[in-house]
Amino acid sequence: EDFVKGKWVVIFLDHVLLTKGHSGENERKVIADLQYMFISLKKKHKVTIIQLSQLNRNIEDKERILNPSLMFPTRSDLSSADSIYQSSDLCMVIHRPAVLSIFQYGIEKWPTKDLVYLHLLKNRNGEPKILCFEDHLKYNTLYDYDPYNSFLKV
């Protein structure tokens, strides 16, 4: 704890689901324990915690792909959603609807060709939003896109 004193620390956990506990421990319990540890750290220190996880397969359900009101990712689409969501200050989902052959996104029929949508599902210090970017991920880059002033209200 001495090395953290007075400093802002960023903890980056790449792929929460690969976290291992003691042999025989349930995966959900391991992830929940990790979230409690992160909450405790945030109470004691200046800490930003960034966790990467994946979506479960529900986003690929045919009903969701065909029904514009169900296309956007939700909290329940996160693997281990409850504990990760509760311990987070900010929860974001990157979604490329075109990959799922969705050509008009949501009830407002937003375009999808070469676009990436960043859904802010939870923002403890602000409002949930949807941001839109040009997809240049083959170059590990996203560029601002402004179809509707770039900030799409949820």
Side-chain angles (χ1 to χ4, degrees):
E1 288 189 18
D2 288 340
F3 77 93
V4 179
K5 200 170 279 189
K7 297 177 184 174
W8 198 282
V9 176
V10 176
I11 298 171
F12 197 96
L13 177 59
D14 187 355
H15 211 301
V16 173
L17 295 180
L18 294 179
T19 306
K20 300 282 186 210
H22 301 290
S23 65
E25 252 186 322
N26 174 315
E27 177 185 290
R28 288 186 189 273
K29 182 182 178 338
V30 171
I31 292 171
D33 289 347
L34 183 64
Q35 301 313 306
Y36 289 126
M37 182 191 72
F38 286 160
I39 290 169
S40 174
L41 278 172
K42 288 190 320 185
K43 288 179 180 177
K44 293 179 185 176
H45 306 287
K46 299 176 190 174
V47 177
T48 297
I49 298 166
I50 300 170
Q51 301 178 77
L52 292 183
S53 188
Q54 65 188 40
L55 297 178
N56 57 38
R57 300 260 184 243
N58 295 343
I59 197 77
E60 299 173 1
D61 286 348
K62 187 172 186 151
E63 178 184 358
R64 291 190 64 180
I65 291 171
L66 297 176
N67 185 339
S69 65
L70 299 176
M71 289 178 178
F72 292 174
T74 64
R75 172 184 174 175
S76 65
D77 292 317
L78 300 170
S79 294
S80 302
D82 288 336
S83 61
I84 293 173
Y85 190 87
Q86 291 301 324
S87 66
S88 299
D89 294 322
L90 184 66
C91 186
M92 300 181 286
V93 174
I94 297 173
H95 194 225
R96 295 188 302 160
V99 171
L100 298 174
S101 298
I102 297 172
F103 304 110
Q104 293 182 320
Y105 194 40
I107 58 174
E108 297 200 23
K109 300 182 179 178
W110 294 330
T112 63
K113 184 174 176 13
D114 299 323
L115 296 175
V116 173
Y117 288 89
L118 178 67
H119 295 259
L120 279 73
L121 301 180
K122 179 181 180 181
N123 184 356
R124 196 176 305 276
N125 298 316
E127 295 294 317
K129 292 189 180 352
I130 301 172
L131 307 175
C132 186
F133 298 93
E134 291 180 28
D135 182 352
H136 295 274
L137 290 173
K138 65 183 174 186
Y139 305 112
N140 293 321
T141 305
L142 296 173
Y143 294 111
D144 285 335
Y145 180 73
D146 190 7
Y148 306 100
N149 297 324
S150 209
F151 291 86
L152 308 173
K153 282 263 183 192
V154 177

